[in-house]
Amino acid sequence: MKNTLKCLVSLFLGICLIMPVPMNIFAHETDQVIAVEVSENETYYFSTQEDYHSYLKHQESNGSGIQPHGEFTTTQEIARQNLNMKFVGYHRLTPTWTKAAAYTIRANESSTAKINGSFNGLSYTLTVTHSLGVDTTIPADRNRFSRLAHYGDFVVKHMRTNYHDQSGIYDTYDYISTQTINTYLLVQYQ
């Protein structure tokens, strides 16, 4: 019995290791929310493992090109929130308030800021990364305390995907889709 169990576990692990991953996505779990980066500017956030696994299951079946007769998918936008000039965080080179005439950022020096949010009861994270290809100087008012700050324009959407067959809806899941429209690096004053 023990050898049979070991054999089954080994077989299962072997199959999992050789199965190809059909999608080119990146997923990670943060505080019970599973993030899937679907493009450079768009990320999906799933609030449960079940929703994420449902998404994966249907992505794999769609990737095979085989869909049972009479089955189809509908995806609808439940609600939308446009966030314009949303403060995301401070640049790593300015951890404290200071009086400066200008800020100089060297080429290829990057900084990332993140902020968590919630929309219609579903959580998400907004991320802004700045990396400039050339040295850049940003002027500031030397008489006021200031810091460099990351801002962005985002579209946050509550989405629902339903899977139908001849009997009706047989699977559904909700998720948040965030799209980064623009990012900004600005001087913020105290």
Side-chain angles (χ1 to χ4, degrees), residues 13-142:
L13 290 174
I15 290 171
C16 288
L17 290 175
I18 62 171
M19 286 180 64
V21 178
M23 298 172 295
N24 187 19
I25 60 173
F26 171 73
H28 63 280
E29 189 170 342
T30 56
D31 298 330
Q32 307 301 324
V33 175
I34 301 160
V36 178
E37 190 175 312
V38 293
S39 73
E40 187 176 308
N41 295 326
E42 186 171 15
T43 304
Y44 295 165
Y45 294 90
F46 298 92
S47 58
T48 67
Q49 286 283 341
E50 292 80 19
D51 287 350
Y52 174 63
H53 289 299
S54 187
Y55 166 78
L56 284 180
K57 178 178 73 174
H58 293 292
Q59 289 297 315
E60 289 170 2
S61 67
N62 288 344
S64 70
I66 301 171
Q67 191 161 356
H69 180 70
E71 289 192 7
F72 64 97
T73 303
T74 58
T75 299
Q76 65 188 59
E77 181 180 303
I78 305 299
R80 170 188 294 246
Q81 183 179 41
N82 294 316
L83 303 174
N84 297 312
M85 291 300 293
K86 173 74 175 167
F87 171 77
V88 180
Y90 294 107
H91 195 284
R92 68 177 187 80
L93 294 178
T94 58
T96 59
W97 296 97
T98 187
K99 289 185 178 181
Y103 294 98
T104 300
I105 302 169
R106 300 286 172 222
N108 299 319
E109 191 157 4
S110 67
S111 175
T112 299
K114 296 180 181 190
I115 188 169
N116 295 324
S118 178
F119 183 52
N120 282 359
L122 300 170
S123 298
Y124 62 88
T125 301
L126 299 175
T127 304
V128 171
T129 300
H130 277 102
S131 180
L132 304 167
V134 296
D135 289 358
T136 303
T137 299
I138 301 171
D141 182 346
R142 74 177 71 221

